[in-house]
C-alpha cells in the first residue's frame, strides 16, 4: 500500500496508465517539489471507464444489498488497517498536518464506507395506500453509470462521501479526484482490488478538470454528476449537464458568516472560532470567513482572536506541533495573497499574519502563509464577497440582531453559518432567518452523517448525506396496483 511514483487509473478492475501514455506532475505542497506523476487522462480513458461501468452494472445493480454491504465494509477495513500510509499520502499531497489526516480525513473516509454500507441494508421505500381501491409503492432503482468529481481540500474524505452512497445503491461509478491530490484515490483503487470489488463497478480516472472531468460530465451514458468544487466550475457543469437532463448534486463555494452575540460562552466560542477560521488553512468550504461580533464584545474578541492566531504554528505538516501546514498549491497561495493586497486597497487593516513563512532546508520552497485577521471592511467589498478559501478572516462589529442577519445573508453564497449565543429563543429565531444549508449553534463542524448537507444560493443545488444521498443516487418509480 505504499505510494508509487507513477499513479495509475483504475479501469475495469485494473491499474492502467492513460491511453495516451501522458502524465502530469504531482507536487508536494510542503516542499514545492514534484514527487510523483499522475495520468493525464482524456476522453478515451473516460470512454473505457464508462464501458467497463456499463458492463458491470447489470450484476452489481441486482446484487443483494448484503453483498454490497460486505464489500464496502471490507474496503473500510483495508483503509483502517493502512491508516498511517493513507494519512501520510494525504499530507504529502495536500500539505495539511498529518495530525489532521490521521484524525479527520482518513477516519472519515472509512466512516463514509461503513455508514453507507449499513444504510443500504436498512434503506426502505414508501408506499401510498388508497383505502379500498389501490396501493402505490415506490421502487428506488439505481441510476446506472454515475460520475463523482471531488476537490483537493479534503481529498479522500469527499471522494468517498460521493462514491460510497453511489456504490451502495447499486450504481457503477466513474470518479475523478482532483489533479492536485490524486494519491489517496490511487491507494483507494488498490484497496478496492484487495477487497474484491467486482471489475468495472468503480473506475477512477485521473487528470485535469477541463479534460478528464469535462469528458465525464459530457458523456451521454453518465446519468448523474455529484460534484464538489468551485462555483465557477459548478456553473460549467450545469451548462453541460443541464441540457442533457442529468441529475446534479453540486456542493460549491461558501463565504460563511459567524455571528457572535455578547452573551455567548466566550471560552468555548473563541476556541471554536479559531478552528472554524483556520482549520486546514481555511481550505474547508464550511470555514467561517466573515466574523460578526456584537459591539460590547468586539474589542475583547478581536484582541483574543489576534493573540491566539499569532500563536498558531505554521510549518512542516509532518511535525506534531504544527497547527497549519502548507497551502495546496503555489497558484492557490498566490490567489490568497492577492486577496490580502486587495483587502488593504479596500481599506482593511491586517491585524496579524498574511505574510509568507521563511522555511529552511527541503521546506524552503513550500507554500506557507501566516493566518490573517482583517478588520475595517464593509460588507460590499470583494474581500467580504468572494471566496478566498485560505487562512484569512474578516471581523466586523454589529449592533442589532437584524443587522447581524442582514450582514450574514449579504453575499451570493449560502452554505453554512455559525451562531454563538446563550439565548435559546434568539438562536432559533436567527437560525430560521439565515440563508444557509447548515446552521451550527454554539459549535462548528459537528457532523452527523445522517443529516442533509449542502447549500443554498450560489453554494449549490441538491443535498448529500444520509437518505438524501441514497435518494439522489436512485430513481423513484411509482407502481400503482388496483385491487381486484
Ligand atoms: O476547484 P475546481 P479549484 C473553490 C475555492 C478555490 C476555487 C477554485 O474557492 O479557490 O474553488 O479551486 C474538477 N468539468 N473550491 O480550481 O476547479 C477538478 O479537476 C468537470 C471550493 O481547484 O472546481 C477537480 O477534480 N470537472 C471547494 C474538481 O473539479 C472539472 C473545494 C474541483 O476543482 C471541471 C475546492 C470541468 N469543466 C475549491 N473543471 C469546496 N466547495 O469545498 C474542474 N473540474
Amino acid at each position: 500500500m505504499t505510494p508509487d511514483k507513477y499513479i495509475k487509473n483504475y479501469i475495469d478492475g485494473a491499474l492502467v496508465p492513460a491511453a495516451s501514455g501522458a502524465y502530469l506532475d504531482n507536487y508536494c505542497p510542503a516542499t514545492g517539489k514534484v514527487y510523483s506523476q499522475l495520468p493525464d487522462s482524456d476522453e478515451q480513458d473516460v470512454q473505457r471507464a464508462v464501458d467497463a461501468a456499463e458492463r458491470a452494472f447489470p450484476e452489481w445493480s441486482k446484487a443483494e444489498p448484503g453483498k454490497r454491504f460486505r464489500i464496502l465494509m471490507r474496503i473500510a477495513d483495508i483503509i483502517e488497517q493502512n491508516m498511517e500510509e493513507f494519512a501520510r499520502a494525504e499530507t504529502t499531497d495536500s500539505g495539511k498536518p498529518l495530525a489532521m489526516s490521521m484524525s479527520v480525513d482518513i477516519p472519515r473516509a472509512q466512516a463514509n464506507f461503513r455508514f453507507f454500507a449499513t444504510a443500504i441494508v436498512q434503506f426502505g421505500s414508501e408506499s401510498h395506500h388508497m383505502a379500498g381501491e389501490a396501493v402505490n409503492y415506490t421502487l428506488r432503482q439505481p441510476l446506472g453509470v454515475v460520475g463523482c468529481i471531488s476537490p483537493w481540500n479534503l481529498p479522500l474524505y469527499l471522494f468517498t462521501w460521493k462514491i460510497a452512497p453511489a456504490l451502495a445503491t447499486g450504481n457503477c461509478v466513474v470518479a475523478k479526484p482532483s489533479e492536485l491530490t490524486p494519491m489517496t484515490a490511487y491507494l483507494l483503487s488498490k484497496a478496492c482490488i484487495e477487497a474484491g470489488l467486482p471489475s468495472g463497478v468503480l473506475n477512477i480516472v485521473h487528470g485535469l478538470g477541463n479534460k478528464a472531468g469535462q469528458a465525464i460530465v459530457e458523456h451521454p451514458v453518465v446519468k448523474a454528476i455529484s460534484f464538489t468544487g468551485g462555483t465557477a466550475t459548478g456553473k460549467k457543469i450545469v451548462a453541460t449537464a443541464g441540457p442533457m437532463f442529468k441529475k446534479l448534486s453540486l456542493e460549491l463555494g461558501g463565504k460563511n458568516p459567524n455571528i457572535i452575540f455578547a452573551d455567548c460562552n466566550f471560552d468555548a466560542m473563541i476556541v471554536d472560532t479559531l478552528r472554524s477560521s483556520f482549520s486546514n488553512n481555511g481550505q474547508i468550504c464550511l470555514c467561517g470567513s466573515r466574523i460578526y461580533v456584537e459591539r460590547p464584545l468586539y474589542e475583547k474578541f478581536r484582541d483574543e482572536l489576534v493573540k491566539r492566531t499569532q500563536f498558531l504554528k505554521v510549518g512542516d505538516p509532518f511535525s506534531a506541533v504544527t497547527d497549519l501546514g502548507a497551502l495546496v498549491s503555489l497558484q492557490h497561495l498566490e490567489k490568497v495573497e492577492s486577496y490580502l493586497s486587495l483587502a488593504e486597497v479596500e481599506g482593511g487593516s491586517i491585524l496579524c499574519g498574511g505574510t509568507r513563512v521563511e522555511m529552511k532546508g527541503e521546506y524552503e520552497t513550500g507554500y506557507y502563509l501566516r493566518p490573517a485577521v482583517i478588520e475595517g471592511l464593509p460588507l460590499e467589498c470583494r474581500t467580504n464577497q468572494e471566496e478566498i478559501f485560505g487562512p484569512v478572516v474578516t471581523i466586523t462589529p454589529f449592533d442589532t440582531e437584524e443587522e447581524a442577519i442582514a450582514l450574514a445573508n449579504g453575499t451570493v453564497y449560502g452554505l453554512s453559518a455559525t451562531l454563538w449565543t446563550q439565548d435559546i429563543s434568539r438562536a432559533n429565531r436567527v437560525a430560521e432567518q439565515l440563508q444557509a444549508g447548515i446552521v451550527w449553534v454554539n459549535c462548528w463542524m459537528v457532523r452527523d452523517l445522517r443529516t442533509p448537507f449542502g447549500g443554498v444560493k450560489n453554494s449549490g443545488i441538491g443535498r448529500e448525506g444520509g437518505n438524501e444521498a441514497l435518494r439522489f443516487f436512485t430513481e423513484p418509480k411509482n407502481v400503482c396496483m388496483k385491487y381486484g
Side-chain angles (χ1 to χ4, degrees):
M1 191 82 28
T2 37
D4 299 343
K5 187 162 177 351
Y6 288 90
I7 289 172
K8 304 255 178 5
N9 286 334
Y10 172 47
I11 298 178
D12 205 9
L15 299 176
V16 292
S20 68
Y23 282 93
L24 299 163
D25 288 338
N26 187 23
Y27 287 81
C28 167
T31 62
K33 303 257 165 36
V34 173
Y35 84 101
S36 67
Q37 307 278 314
L38 67 141
D40 181 8
S41 308
D42 59 24
E43 66 281 354
Q44 298 176 73
D45 304 287
V46 169
Q47 185 62 52
R48 286 162 64 181
V50 172
D51 289 345
E54 259 194 307
R55 280 195 302 275
F57 181 70
E59 205 175 317
W60 183 249
S61 58
K62 291 199 179 64
E64 47 116 11
K67 175 175 173 183
R68 301 203 287 261
F69 162 84
R70 282 191 296 279
I71 294 177
L72 296 184
M73 292 295 272
R74 232 178 279 149
I75 296 172
D77 289 343
I78 294 167
I79 298 174
E80 187 173 15
Q81 285 152 17
N82 295 278
M83 167 94 154
E84 183 148 1
E85 286 91 330
F86 271 91
R88 286 190 166 274
E90 203 70 295
T91 289
T92 307
D93 240 5
S94 67
K96 70 178 65 196
L98 182 61
M100 180 171 180
S101 299
M102 289 289 286
S103 62
V104 178
D105 292 70
I106 308 305
R108 176 60 188 281
Q110 298 162 37
N112 288 337
F113 278 109
R114 296 213 166 94
F115 178 85
F116 286 109
T118 49
I120 198 60
V121 287
Q122 303 186 43
F123 189 41
S125 61
E126 293 179 319
S127 86
H128 298 87
H129 183 204
M130 300 164 77
E133 190 186 351
V135 64
N136 294 275
Y137 61 88
T138 308
L139 292 178
R140 284 252 158 213
Q141 295 173 304
L143 304 174
V145 180
V146 299
C148 297
I149 300 176
S150 61
W152 44 260
N153 57 332
L154 296 163
L156 195 64
Y157 174 130
L158 289 174
F159 199 52
T160 54
W161 177 236
K162 299 173 179 308
I163 289 172
L167 295 179
T169 43
N171 297 283
C172 291
V173 177
V174 178
K176 193 192 89 60
S178 169
E179 57 274 35
L180 298 178
T181 52
M183 192 57 91
T184 48
Y186 177 52
L187 296 183
L188 175 69
S189 20
K190 294 185 177 184
C192 290
I193 294 170
E194 194 182 330
L197 186 71
S199 298
V201 168
L202 170 64
N203 303 274
I204 300 177
V205 179
H206 292 272
L208 299 171
N210 57 14
K211 201 158 143 188
Q214 183 70 22
I216 296 172
V217 177
E218 277 174 7
H219 201 292
V221 169
V222 175
K223 296 281 181 294
I225 301 289
S226 170
F227 168 80
T228 300
T231 295
T233 314
K235 256 188 206 168
K236 264 198 204 160
I237 291 177
V238 171
T240 306
M244 299 174 85
F245 307 111
K246 295 190 182 200
K247 252 182 139 174
L248 290 177
S249 170
L250 305 176
E251 204 268 278
L252 309 176
K255 190 72 184 175
N256 308 311
N258 291 19
I259 305 177
I260 300 168
F261 287 97
D263 70 345
C264 70
N265 173 338
F266 189 85
D267 294 343
M269 179 279 296
I270 198 77
V271 169
D272 265 7
T273 303
L274 199 69
R275 282 179 55 235
S276 72
S277 301
F278 302 123
S279 286
N280 205 32
N281 254 320
Q283 301 169 134
I284 302 180
C285 53
L286 304 165
C287 278
S289 53
R290 296 179 295 135
I291 305 177
Y292 297 110
V293 187
E294 204 173 5
R295 200 172 299 272
L297 192 67
Y298 183 76
E299 280 182 19
K300 178 179 174 192
F301 169 83
R302 178 192 60 201
D303 295 348
E304 191 63 27
L305 183 71
V306 168
K307 190 173 97 192
R308 290 181 187 232
T309 302
Q310 286 171 322
F311 271 128
L312 292 173
K313 173 111 183 60
V314 185
D316 171 8
F318 289 96
S319 158
V321 297
T322 292
D323 297 302
L324 277 73
L327 271 79
V328 73
S329 66
L330 181 59
Q331 197 194 11
H332 191 57
L333 170 65
E334 288 170 353
K335 173 190 154 177
V336 175
E337 286 177 322
S338 75
Y339 276 100
L340 289 158
S341 312
L342 177 69
E344 287 187 307
V345 172
E346 290 180 324
S349 310
I350 300 177
L351 303 178
C352 65
T355 50
R356 287 198 194 188
V357 181
E358 307 301 328
M359 301 285 290
K360 298 223 161 34
E362 59 172 335
Y363 296 120
E364 208 172 25
T365 40
Y367 318 132
Y368 300 94
L369 190 69
R370 291 187 180 85
V373 178
I374 309 175
E375 76 171 349
L377 285 170
L379 171 67
E380 306 72 33
C381 72
R382 283 181 54 208
T383 308
N384 269 331
Q385 289 291 322
E386 297 177 12
E387 186 178 49
I388 300 174
F389 217 59
V392 180
V393 292
T394 63
I395 57 173
T396 310
F398 70 84
D399 292 299
T400 65
E401 194 176 302
E402 294 67 36
E403 187 191 358
I405 294 167
L407 287 165
N409 290 342
T411 73
V412 294
Y413 294 107
L415 189 54
S416 68
T418 300
L419 184 54
W420 289 90
T421 179
Q422 299 285 58
D423 178 340
I424 244 181
S425 305
R426 175 155 63 193
N428 287 317
R429 202 165 54 232
V430 175
E432 191 177 74
Q433 293 175 76
L434 288 172
Q435 295 166 355
I438 302 149
V439 177
W440 276 294
V441 180
N442 296 333
C443 61
W444 178 70
M445 267 297 245
V446 176
R447 289 280 296 119
D448 178 331
L449 302 191
R450 294 169 298 181
T451 58
F453 183 91
V456 299
K457 305 199 291 192
N458 291 13
S459 290
I461 50 175
R463 291 290 179 275
E464 300 187 333
N467 284 337
E468 299 283 345
L470 299 178
R471 287 197 198 101
F472 175 76
F473 285 115
T474 53
E475 197 69 79
K477 180 193 289 173
N478 188 64
V479 181
C480 177
M481 287 180 68
K482 201 164 185 320
Y483 289 3

